[in-house]
Amino acid sequence: MKSSYREALRAGIRDAMLRDERVFLMGEDVGSYGGSFAVSLGLLEEFGPDRIRDTPLSESGFVGAGIGAALAGMRPIVEIMTVNFSLLALDQIVNNAASLLHMSGGQFNVPIVIRMTTGAGRQLGAQHSHSLEGWFAHIPGLRILAPATLADARGMLWTALQDPDPVLIFEHGSLYNVAGELDDDAGAVDIDTAAVRRPGTDITLITYGGTLPAVLDAAGQLEAGGIDAEVLDLRTLRPLDDAAILASVRKTHRAVVVDEGWRSGSISAEISARITENAFYDLDAPVGRVCSAEVPIPYAKHLELAALPSVDRITAAARQAVSAGG
């Protein structure tokens, strides 16, 4: 059936609420307005205000309320409008959700799912456009997901809700309007493994979330130039699927990591380090990285585009790695 990424997310929420009466959605404008990005449109009318709950503009307050509900046996889905605003709830996410299991000696799990929009490319300025999922992937006690496809948008939520510990889902804003075919029987998917979206033999392009479409486009251009690129979609940023990353690199002997986050201290840096630590002698060239420019994301369209990973930058990095190889 035809679906958009946004509709696939909504179908996942609806399915979870039908399956388990403990599941409820809370966040700013998720009810009457239908969600800041219309993901929850129509759910208030279907499930009522007890399960689709509008909240005040207080990220720390409503994330904390979600943690409390999870501790009390509910299965909350908490929506934060953008990743930038999640910084207002860092204390709740890091000091409470991620820590309580360990601080309680294993007595208290926090089965909460927090969804938020991430990423740039929509001229929303520096306070609505950053990619901070790599920060959260640094924190023990959290599982970090980045659905890039319709099937993952539809299927990751229910699996995340079965996790006894906190799960954060990062939805790239550029993907909401992406449309395509979704299987009629699409349902829950695993949240443990990376996926090869395009097989190849000459180089591995590693990415996730909103940069997957650009990486696939780059792989197509590289093929026209005689370079057969494999595209690996990480899907889960914590824990990383090391086995999939290393298996691909050991096959192609070259890797470029494409990450919309800033380069310094990024998830791309972590992946590069793991490849170097575990597959150094399989490499024919240094691991390359294509990241965002280290500036607050600009508002002006031409500057914003210049700051983000592009197809041209990805293909150039791949060609450099292949030409440097033996």
Side-chain angles (χ1 to χ4, degrees), residues 9 35 92 120 129 155 185 192 243 248 269 305 307 324:
L9 290 167
Q92 296 290 2
S129 301
D185 60 351
D192 297 314
S248 182
L305 292 175

Side-chain angles (χ1 to χ4, degrees), residues 139-206:
I139 300 166
L142 301 179
R143 180 183 287 268
I144 307 299
L145 309 181
T149 66
L150 297 184
D152 281 351
R154 169 65 179 82
M156 280 185 162
L157 177 64
W158 178 250
T159 315
L161 285 164
Q162 307 314 300
D163 196 308
D165 299 312
V167 179
L168 274 58
I169 302 178
F170 290 86
E171 303 159 4
H172 197 286
S174 69
L175 296 176
Y176 285 125
N177 290 329
V178 171
E181 290 292 332
L182 183 65
D183 291 343
D184 291 339
D185 60 351
V189 298
D190 87 90
I191 55 174
D192 297 314
T193 60
V196 175
R197 299 300 184 194
R198 184 187 191 283
T201 58
D202 294 331
I203 187 169
T204 300
L205 304 178
I206 302 168

